[in-house]
Structures are given as structure tokens and as C-alpha cells.
Amino acid sequence: MARSEPLTVLAVCGVGMGTSLILRMTAEGALSSLGVPAKVENTDVSTARGMTADVVIGQGMHVGELQDMAPVVLTVDDFLDQDGLASSLREALTTQGWI
């Protein structure tokens, strides 16, 4: 069953400024292309540890510490690859039964 509530998504990087902001914009585009309503926030890895989310997205060296905080944790290498992120999100959200 698809979710009735928007997803909460965290775009995470080491400092929570430039890179996570770029990733946030890429994630918003990817989720929009999938037709998935979501609230996307960008933050640093330390702050993310105290937050809750449905999906965490970031570089492997950062999200490795956050594996247990969300049902879906995605690692990305190219923060500008909206199509690649949409594909990863589609697969993960389908697995969760959210789309």
C-alpha cells in the first residue's frame, strides 16, 4: 500500500551546508519525477543522528553511521545525478511498499 503521508528525507553530508544542499535539490527533483510527496531537509551527519526520517541519502562515509536511523538509507557518489537517484529511490521505495 502506498504511503498516505509525505516522506521525510534527510540529505546528509559532513558539514551540512554545500554538499547536502546540492543533494537536497537533486533528491527533491528525483522524488518529484517519481510523483512521491516528500519533505527533504539537508543537514550534517552529527545533527542527523538526533533526527528521524524515512529516507537518509548521502555519501557512504557519512551514511554508514546512520544505517539504523531510517528504513531506507541510500548512498550516492554523484550528487548531481537526479536520474540515478530517482532509480535508486524507486527501487528502495518499491521494496518498502511506499510506491
Side-chain angles (χ1 to χ4, degrees):
M1 170 190 284
R3 290 175 53 103
S4 59
E5 299 177 15
L7 291 175
T8 55
V9 179
L10 291 179
V12 179
C13 74
V15 180
M17 298 179 77
T19 307
S20 65
L21 179 59
I22 292 168
L23 183 56
R24 174 184 163 186
M25 292 186 294
T26 301
E28 288 172 335
L31 289 160
S32 177
S33 74
L34 295 173
V36 175
K39 178 181 179 190
V40 184
E41 295 183 49
N42 61 294
T43 189
D44 65 279
V45 69
S46 296
T47 303
R49 288 187 194 115
M51 302 172 79
T52 59
D54 300 308
V55 178
V56 173
I57 305 168
Q59 288 179 307
M61 66 184 185
H62 299 303
V63 297
E65 301 175 41
L66 306 172
Q67 289 293 326
D68 296 334
M69 72 167 285
V72 174
V73 178
L74 296 176
T75 300
V76 296
D77 295 320
D78 182 349
F79 283 37
L80 298 174
D81 182 8
Q82 183 174 311
D83 291 338
L85 182 56
S87 178
S88 296
L89 283 165
R90 179 183 298 111
E91 181 178 336
L93 299 179
T94 299
T95 298
Q96 293 293 325
W98 293 345
I99 58 172

